[in-house]
Amino acid sequence: MGTDGDWGGQITKQLECSLHPDASVRRPAEGFLASQELRPHFSLILLQLVASDSAAGHLRQAAAVYLKNVTKRLWEDFPEPDRLGIKSSIVDVLLRANPIVRKQLSEVLALAAAVEYPERWPDLAPSLVHNLTSAYSRSPPDWSSCQGILETLDALFERYRFQYRSDPLFLEIKYSLTHVHDPLLCFYQTTSASVLKGSMGTTELFIALEGVRLATSIFYSLSWQDIPEQIENNLQEWCKLYLCFLQFSCEPVERSASPTEPTVIENIQVLIVDIMEMFVTKYDEEIRPVLEEFVSAIWNLLVQRGTQSRYDELVTTGIRFLSAVCKGPYFELFARPETLQQICERLVLPNVEIRDEDRELFEDSPLDYVRREIEKSDTGSRRRSACELLSGLCVHFESSVTEAMSNYVASMLQEYSADNAKNWKLKDAAIYIVTALAWRSGTQAGGATSTSTLVNVVEFFSSQNFT
């Protein structure tokens, strides 16, 4: 990573100026840096600045951000020695960096790897896995280094979720799994044992849990395109660990929890539920032996969660999983009348009613509310998920579900009629329930094209919605 010292000092100075609030100072510095981007050693100077212990923290962060941006735009145009220098040095620099800078460097590595890995960077995965194994095998484990390596692997493999299926892609995933799977499973087992034992300090606990979250995300990415042989052969072990975390709670995490933001445990649980939904929809035969256990665990998880917005993603993801199960080949898991009754009472009804948070969103940002509730944005909502679950149950249990929910709707409307100013939310919920029961098929642009024969839509809306 040898560079011209004077030029390196000039780049450092101009990088400092590029952070200046005065545009007359900032813009010339930005122009100078842009003019140097493809000059040999420029990217290496930025990486050297990131690695420098003597550089100010804000400069190291600025250098990391600039390196990420220029890598995103120009990696393939970098001089070959610069690319070789970055590939040979970035893992070591990343492991020594603070968490903020490390996050930027993980993205630099992922951007470069999208072009170079594995053909022109075959030692990347083995190097990362070697460092991961060394970090968690120490006594005590180096959880911070583990987190940095897992962040990098997560960024490296996340693109597998969004790429088109192809032979080169499957060969790359196979290559990655050959090096990553066994050490990743070993890390998960070792870390889970330490976390579940409850003997870790608070700081170590949070870092270790974040490591578990990242490892879960990596598993999700590696199994997205198809179920690989390594994962299929060890699926029982992975599932055993996932079930443990679906049932896991931790006092230190709960004490620090925000009423609006999910905890790291809830983020782990969301990923696990996402993985189970993926298996139900894509690999149903492989997941069949343990599916009932996961349905039970996720059901218990959902009914124990309140209406706080902190749980929104977990609840919507869990309901989506149950919807996938009831629409799929294993719908008989919900066949018992008491099961259907509990789903209606404990999942659909509590989540279909509008909350104060929903009302505030409608008042403050009505367009966002419409996108979330009506236009099916990626964010989703509890009530939309509850209605989709109701529609899913009607695929195989239309008569039973319609009869049960009709009784609830009648009760809601009766309470509304008794005091419409106080109970307006009940009528709003009743409308959502009837719409979900009645909808059979249609398009987002054109609306419903067929409705249930068990629900008289015209009569309901004529008598209730327009009086």
Side-chain angles (χ1 to χ4, degrees):
M1 227 191 313
T3 57
D4 186 318
D6 293 338
W7 185 45
Q10 192 176 7
I11 289 175
T12 302
K13 180 180 178 182
Q14 294 300 319
L15 193 64
E16 177 84 67
C17 291
S18 72
L19 304 175
H20 202 283
D22 187 344
S24 64
V25 177
R26 183 178 69 251
R27 286 174 183 161
E30 291 172 343
F32 172 82
L33 292 171
S35 70
Q36 305 295 304
E37 287 177 349
L38 292 179
R39 182 173 168 180
H41 290 160
F42 176 78
S43 57
L44 294 179
I45 288 175
L46 292 177
L47 187 59
Q48 193 174 55
L49 180 57
V50 173
S52 173
D53 293 331
S54 60
H58 70 283
L59 267 180
R60 297 172 74 177
Q61 184 176 347
V65 171
Y66 201 102
L67 181 59
K68 179 190 72 174
N69 292 335
V70 75
T71 299
K72 186 175 184 178
R73 290 184 286 109
L74 299 171
W75 173 259
E76 293 186 81
D77 297 322
F78 281 4
E80 183 65 19
D82 284 32
R83 286 193 285 176
L84 291 172
I86 289 174
K87 288 191 293 184
S88 66
S89 306
I90 191 167
V91 172
D92 290 336
V93 176
L94 184 149
L95 292 176
R96 298 198 310 270
N98 65 58
I100 296 174
V101 171
R102 189 173 65 207
K103 186 73 173 175
Q104 302 298 326
L105 291 179
S106 292
E107 293 187 40
V108 172
L109 188 148
L111 290 165
V115 178
E116 305 282 333
Y117 176 80
E119 289 85 359
R120 289 177 286 178
W121 203 351
D123 61 337
L124 174 58
S127 172
L128 290 170
V129 166
H130 172 75
N131 281 286
L132 176 65
T133 304
S134 298
Y136 74 74
S137 299
R138 293 173 193 161
S139 183
D142 185 352
W143 296 114
S144 181
S145 292
C146 289
Q147 182 177 337
I149 298 161
L150 291 166
E151 283 175 351
T152 305
L153 288 169
D154 188 36
L156 175 63
F157 298 141
E158 188 177 19
R159 59 194 169 90
Y160 294 161
R161 305 182 197 178
F162 314 111
Q163 292 183 300
Y164 289 111
R165 296 166 67 91
S166 65
D167 289 342
L169 176 62
F170 285 121
L171 287 173
E172 180 180 329
I173 294 173
K174 182 179 180 181
Y175 176 84
S176 300
L177 278 157
T178 300
H179 294 284
V180 171
H181 177 270
D182 290 352
L184 187 70
L185 177 57
C186 188
F187 167 82
Y188 214 105
Q189 292 168 324
T190 303
T191 308
S192 299
S194 299
V195 168
L196 298 172
K197 196 190 314 180
S199 59
M200 302 179 72
T202 301
T203 302
E204 289 179 327
L205 174 66
F206 276 85
I207 298 175
L209 283 170
E210 178 61 16
V212 171
R213 186 195 70 80
L214 290 164
T216 308
S217 181
I218 292 166
F219 177 97
Y220 191 25
S221 298
L222 290 171
S223 53
W224 176 266
Q225 294 285 345
D226 200 355
I227 182 166
E229 180 183 358
Q230 294 94 329
I231 288 178
E232 185 174 0
N233 292 340
N234 293 277
L235 189 57
Q236 292 296 321
E237 182 61 29
W238 282 108
C239 287
K240 183 175 72 173
L241 296 166
Y242 290 156
L243 282 167
C244 288
F245 277 102
L246 286 176
Q247 300 161 7
F248 179 64
S249 61
C250 180
E251 184 60 31
V253 175
E254 284 298 318
R255 282 200 304 268
S256 64
S258 159
T260 58
E261 296 297 326
T263 66
V264 64
I265 294 176
E266 286 144 13
N267 286 331
I268 292 169
Q269 291 168 340
V270 166
L271 278 168
I272 292 172
V273 177
D274 274 332
I275 289 169
M276 288 304 111
E277 183 192 0
M278 176 182 69
F279 270 82
V280 165
T281 55
K282 297 171 72 172
Y283 320 124
D284 57 289
E285 290 185 8
E286 288 79 6
I287 202 64
R288 180 66 185 99
V290 293
L291 179 59
E292 192 166 353
E293 288 183 82
F294 275 98
V295 169
S296 177
I298 293 169
W299 162 263
N300 290 329
L301 192 65
L302 294 178
V303 297
Q304 292 167 8
R305 296 298 177 262
T307 60
Q308 301 99 311
S309 55
R310 151 190 172 187
Y311 301 121
D312 283 357
E313 187 177 8
L314 179 57
V315 171
T316 56
T317 306
I319 292 176
R320 195 172 64 236
F321 164 77
L322 294 179
S323 299
V325 175
C326 71
K327 291 177 184 177
Y330 304 119
F331 63 88
E332 73 276 1
L333 292 173
F334 301 102
R336 292 188 302 173
E338 56 269 27
T339 301
L340 293 173
Q341 187 78 16
Q342 285 192 32
I343 291 174
C344 293
E345 283 185 5
R346 304 185 68 179
L347 276 186
V348 175
L349 290 176
N351 289 300
V352 81
E353 186 172 319
I354 192 169
R355 302 172 301 168
D356 291 339
E357 297 96 319
D358 302 321
R359 184 177 178 181
E360 289 171 8
L361 177 63
F362 178 76
E363 293 171 348
D364 296 340
S365 184
L367 287 178
D368 286 343
Y369 179 87
V370 169
R371 290 190 190 102
R372 190 185 72 173
E373 296 290 343
I374 300 174
E375 296 182 359
K376 298 190 175 182
S377 70
D378 292 337
T379 309
S381 71
R382 285 180 180 237
R383 63 193 333 217
R384 201 179 80 205
S385 298
C387 289
E388 289 175 358
L389 174 59
L390 201 55
S391 297
L393 290 170
C394 286
V395 172
H396 297 287
F397 313 109
E398 181 177 12
S399 178
S400 300
V401 171
T402 301
E403 181 181 358
M405 294 308 298
S406 295
N407 293 332
Y408 291 121
V409 167
S411 177
M412 289 171 160
L413 295 175
Q414 187 174 1
E415 289 186 51
Y416 169 78
S417 299
D419 190 344
N420 55 20
K422 179 181 178 182
N423 297 324
W424 65 269
K425 292 182 182 180
L426 294 176
K427 182 173 182 179
D428 175 76
I431 293 170
Y432 266 80
I433 291 170
V434 171
T435 303
L437 291 172
W439 179 284
R440 283 297 162 268
S441 64
T443 64
Q444 189 170 329
T449 55
S450 66
T451 57
S452 170
T453 57
L454 302 180
V455 180
N456 192 328
V457 181
V458 175
E459 180 184 345
F460 174 79
F461 280 96
S462 297
S463 62
Q464 296 295 334
N465 214 32
F466 300 105
T467 57

